[in-house]
Amino acid sequence: MNILLIGSGGREHAFAMQLSKSTHCSKLFIMPGNAGTASCGINVPMDPLNFALVGEFCIDNEISLLVVGPEDPLVKGMRNHFEADAELKKIAFVGPDETGAQMEGSKDWSKAFMAKYQIPTAAYQTFNSSNLQEGIAYIQNHSLPIVLKADGLAAGKGVLICEDRKEAEAELNKMILENKFGSAGSKVVIEAFLKGIELSVFILTDGTNYQILPSAKDYKRIGEGEKGLNTGGMGAISPVPFADEAFIEKVKNKIIEPTIHGLKQEGIHYVGFIFIGLMNVAGEPWVIEYNCRMGDPETEVVLPRIKTDLVTLMMATARGKLNEIQLEVDSKVATTIMLVSGGYPEGYEKNKIMTGLDQVKGSTLYHAGTKLGSDNELLSNGGRVMAVTSLADTLQEALAMSNQNAALVQFENKYYRRDIGFEFLEKA
Ligand code: AMP
Ligand code: GLY
């Protein structure tokens, strides 16, 4: 069958590699893709948010399966566009509709959902310009630190953790009165700080059945020792050492089952991935956030551990047959280290020539921000440039391999964290 994959990051290169390897895949198109995905299929330089054109492309190219990588097309209703058309609705579509994507698209909506279905999450209230004074009073009576979250999508920057009340008050004013995050911040969720260790659990659901995918831990800060500015993610490991069977069982009973049940109760036919950002607070899982997609770079450690044919898995999801799947997961440990452009997540330069990829042995390189230049040379094309993923019997071996190979890929001002996963080695 012909497949269309939407997106252009490391996550999509990981998807593209695995989809293209399936015997069920005839042609794979990636829209818009990057230099890495070009070696798995055909890149299509079109804007995925132009749903009418995407629809025409699907008809013209006899697409049978569409997999959406990033959240934006989902939050903006790509699935709804396909469902509203007699021909397009026949395409197997992996990704929730606009209502389901609110899990990520509106923090207020997802907090209310969790409260309604008694899913453990930090206590909260939502404020906007009509009750701003109540918001200020709420801050004054709140314990520290205080977490402020822009309601809408804010490119991963909409969460502020304030150590004092004056700062929180000033930030609330900036979000609501001065549009600090544009319309995304016109509503603000104020919530309690959860102290613990973060991890992510991913599920794939067809609306009724679900499969729990391997857990992962992402390293979000730019600096070693989790210091400095937040990024899209600087590296990841899977599985998470403390997320043992007993912990995952708690996640299943307290979070996954009530989430699937809640979505059904709300009349939402959710088809796709749910990324559950969790805090392990003294052995108990609490939800920090939901995302309506896979994580990046978490995908670069989760997918390589899934042995089940990815096209079969995606088709079973779209067709309501996930109960027929026996998910096969590699017991090996996966690690990834993200190579980024110097200066990221603030200003950085693109178009740096990349070399040394042919020196890499034993790791898989997932392109994130790359493109081919006019002479077919490989160029950097983003803040996050390339993920170096390794699979091994132990975390130590996988990390050693990722670190060794991360050093071999060269481009001017390359930066990467050398401490991904190391807190678990010290304890081992
Ligand atoms: P998000 O954009 O929702 O992923 O939040 C960004 C980061 O802020 C999360 O990965 C956490 O590290 C942190 N965070 C968000 N909410 C809380 C909370 N209630 N308590 C502690 N940390 C939080
Ligand atoms: N790595 C975090 C995310 O994809 O949201």
Side-chain angles (χ1 to χ4, degrees), residues 155-176:
K157 296 191 177 119
V159 175
L160 302 170
I161 296 172
C162 302
E163 299 293 340
D164 73 75
R165 296 187 182 87
K166 279 236 152 337
E167 180 196 350
E169 210 177 292
E171 292 295 348
L172 181 67
N173 280 322
K174 275 188 216 161
M175 282 157 93
I176 291 180

Side-chain angles (χ1 to χ4, degrees), residues 107 111 121-122 147 149 156-161 191-196 198 218 220-221 226 230 275 279 287-291:
K107 305 258 189 215
K111 292 293 287 189
T121 190
V147 183
K149 298 185 169 183
K157 296 191 177 119
V159 175
L160 302 170
I161 296 172
E191 71 176 29
F193 182 80
L194 296 171
K195 198 166 162 39
E198 268 183 87
D218 169 27
K220 286 205 169 75
R221 302 297 186 100
E226 276 298 281
N230 247 328
F275 164 153
M279 192 71 87
V287 178
I288 295 180
E289 60 165 352
Y290 289 115
N291 293 309

